């Protein structure tokens, strides 16, 4: 199972999609977009295909801050309207439509990456998609419209997970009692060192390959900022823990958390030239402790209380793990800075 196609505003990448009669019986369509400010309905992604397997798709922004998704596959229609009124214009929304025709199950998820907010809607008895549908949705052509607000769209022949996501590139050195080890080499039962110097076991090592676009895009954290001994690449949604006198002065807290992508373009964080697909890993620890990545304190995977939410757990990257082996993570005491506050803090520390 693999990603079949990815597109952004500049180009599109498609794998060979097989013969004309081949169906994608299970898979996912993933779209990241911002909501435009508008007074009338505006298409974000629209596409159609004709022939023996007719299809039409429309993702639209609605006045007042909503989304409408309509998918018509050979006369079978999926139609959902989602209220996104609490999203700011700068917020990115990730829309995932997943289908598993043999299992007669599917769902539509709306996420705000980095904010742990998910709306999950059931889509029972979904029809399979045809390879022509994937090409029409992702590939460039006269029957597809892609709004400038869309960061990327991608299609997979797997039911792609939603919820907590890995955000460390596999080669990042992670502190352990026996010295630094590559993040991608750590496994369940290995010990890692937290920011407090405590050795804790890895409960689960999570990995995933994702499109290298949108909020999945890797960014480079540059040494010697953040205590780094070397440059490292992480997803833009990876959170860092920052302390020091500037933190106490500006925010009245001993520590704060900031999202790496909020500092993109500053001397501390630079873009990374990424391919269409990027591998990420992350570690699930007992109490959502802080890892030391090349000297920089970074969050391990925060899964909250997902084990108490069967529908969300089943749609997540943790679905195949033993539920009894999953911890419950409380909300961290350190606040997450908004983008403006993160930039102000970074400027103070660089001065």
């Amino acid at each position: 199972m693999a990603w079949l196609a990815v597109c952004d505003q500049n180009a599109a990448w498609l794998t060979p999609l097989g013969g004309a009669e081949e169906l994608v019986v299970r898979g996912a369509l993933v779209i990241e977009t911002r909501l435009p400010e508008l007074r009338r309905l505006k298409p974000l992604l629209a596409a159609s295909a004709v022939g023996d397997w007719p299809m039409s798709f429309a993702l639209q922004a609605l006045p007042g801050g909503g989304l409408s998704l309509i998918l018509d596959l050979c006369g079978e229609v999926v139609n959902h309207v989602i209220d996104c009124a609490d999203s700011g214009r700068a917020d990115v929304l990730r829309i995932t439509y997943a289908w598993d025709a043999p299992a007669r199950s599917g769902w539509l998820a709306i996420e705000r990456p980095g904010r742990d907010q998910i709306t999950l809607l059931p889509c029972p008895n979904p029809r399979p998609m045809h390879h022509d549908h994937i090409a029409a949705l992702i590939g460039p052509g006269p029957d597809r419209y892609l709004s400038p607000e869309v960061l990327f769209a991608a299609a997979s022949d797997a039911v792609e997970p939603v919820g907590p996501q890995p955000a460390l590139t596999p080669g990042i050195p992670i502190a352990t009692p026996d010295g630094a080890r590559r993040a991608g080499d750590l496994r369940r039962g290995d010990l890692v060192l937290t920011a407090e110097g405590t050795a804790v076991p890895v409960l689960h090592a999570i990995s995933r390959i994702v499109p290298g676009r949108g909020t999945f895009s890797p960014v480079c954290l540059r040494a010697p900022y953040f205590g780094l001994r070397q440059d490292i690449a992480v997803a833009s949604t990876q959170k860092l823990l920052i302390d020091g006198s500037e933190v106490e002065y500006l925010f009245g807290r001993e520590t704060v958390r900031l999202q790496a992508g909020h500092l993109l373009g500053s001397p501390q964080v630079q873009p990374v030239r990424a391919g269409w697909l990027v591998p990420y890993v992350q570690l699930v620890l007992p109490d959502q402790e802080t890892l030391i990545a090349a000297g920089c304190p970074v969050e391990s995977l925060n899964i909250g209380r997902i084990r108490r939410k069967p529908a969300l757990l089943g749609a997540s990257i943790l679905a195949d793990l033993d539920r009894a082996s999953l911890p419950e993570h409380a909300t961290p005491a350190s606040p997450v800075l908004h983008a403006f506050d993160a930039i102000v803090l970074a400027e103070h520390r660089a001065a």
Side-chain angles (χ1 to χ4, degrees):
M1 293 184 284
W3 291 95
L4 301 175
V6 185
C7 73
D8 58 17
Q9 291 293 326
N10 301 313
W13 166 82
L14 288 83
T15 61
L17 293 178
E21 301 302 320
E22 290 193 29
L23 295 176
V24 184
V25 296
R26 59 179 59 84
L29 177 65
V30 182
I31 304 163
E32 283 195 355
T33 185
R34 291 185 174 89
L35 284 181
E37 291 184 356
L38 72 173
R39 296 183 178 179
R40 63 182 65 183
L41 181 148
K42 179 180 179 179
L44 296 172
L45 173 60
S48 62
V50 296
D52 294 337
W53 301 86
M55 178 276 297
S56 65
F57 177 91
L59 177 67
Q60 303 169 104
L62 306 177
L67 284 174
S68 166
L69 184 144
I70 303 173
L71 172 62
D72 186 338
L73 287 173
C74 306
E76 293 289 332
V77 179
V78 175
N79 187 354
H80 282 287
V81 175
I82 305 101
D83 181 12
C84 306
D86 60 340
S87 297
R89 187 179 182 186
D91 283 347
V92 174
L93 298 178
R94 183 182 301 146
I95 300 99
T96 303
Y97 171 66
W99 68 93
D100 187 338
R104 304 178 66 85
S105 68
W107 39 260
L108 175 68
I110 310 296
E111 303 178 80
R112 293 167 179 80
R115 290 180 55 183
D116 303 323
Q117 297 181 8
I118 304 175
T119 300
L120 191 65
L121 305 170
C123 299
N125 302 318
R127 282 199 172 214
M129 279 199 177
H130 194 274
H131 281 163
D132 288 348
H133 302 158
I134 302 299
L137 282 161
I138 308 300
D143 297 322
R144 190 200 70 170
Y145 171 75
L146 191 68
S147 167
E149 285 79 15
V150 175
L151 304 182
F152 79 86
S156 170
D157 63 2
V159 177
E160 295 294 335
V162 298
Q165 299 290 337
L168 303 176
T169 49
I172 290 177
I174 300 296
T176 79
D178 299 318
R181 293 182 59 188
R182 296 175 73 256
D185 293 339
L186 293 167
R187 298 290 182 266
R188 175 175 169 83
D190 290 339
L191 294 178
V192 294
L193 290 177
T194 69
E196 293 75 27
T198 305
V200 298
V202 174
L203 298 184
H204 296 286
I206 305 299
S207 62
R208 186 186 178 198
I209 296 174
V210 294
R213 298 295 184 270
T215 61
F216 289 128
S217 298
V219 298
C220 176
L221 307 183
R222 297 183 60 213
Y225 301 108
F226 313 114
L228 285 164
R229 295 186 295 272
Q230 67 180 66
D231 293 354
I232 62 172
V234 301
S236 62
T237 53
Q238 176 64 52
K239 294 184 179 68
L240 321 178
L241 271 76
I242 308 295
D243 59 12
S245 58
E246 303 96 336
V247 172
E248 294 189 33
Y249 172 72
L250 292 170
F251 306 107
R253 301 283 191 131
E254 291 186 3
T255 60
V256 293
R257 295 177 293 152
L258 60 83
Q259 196 166 294
H262 286 166
L263 300 182
L264 188 60
S266 71
Q268 297 95 327
V269 180
Q270 294 292 309
V272 172
R273 194 178 192 87
W276 286 109
L277 301 176
V278 177
Y280 287 118
V281 300
Q282 250 296 7
L283 306 177
V284 179
L285 304 181
D287 293 318
Q288 212 268 306
E289 292 91 347
T290 303
L291 298 164
I292 303 299
C296 175
V298 300
E299 279 195 344
S300 59
L301 192 66
N302 187 340
I303 64 172
R305 297 183 174 180
I306 195 171
R307 58 178 288 175
R308 300 190 184 190
K309 305 171 183 177
L312 182 55
L313 177 60
S316 77
I317 201 168
L318 310 168
D320 294 332
L321 301 179
D322 179 8
R323 179 175 171 273
S325 70
L326 297 176
E328 293 191 6
H329 291 154
T331 302
S334 302
V336 178
L337 299 185
H338 295 294
F340 175 79
D341 292 330
I343 292 169
V344 170
L345 175 59
E347 289 176 346
H348 271 75
R349 291 174 70 92

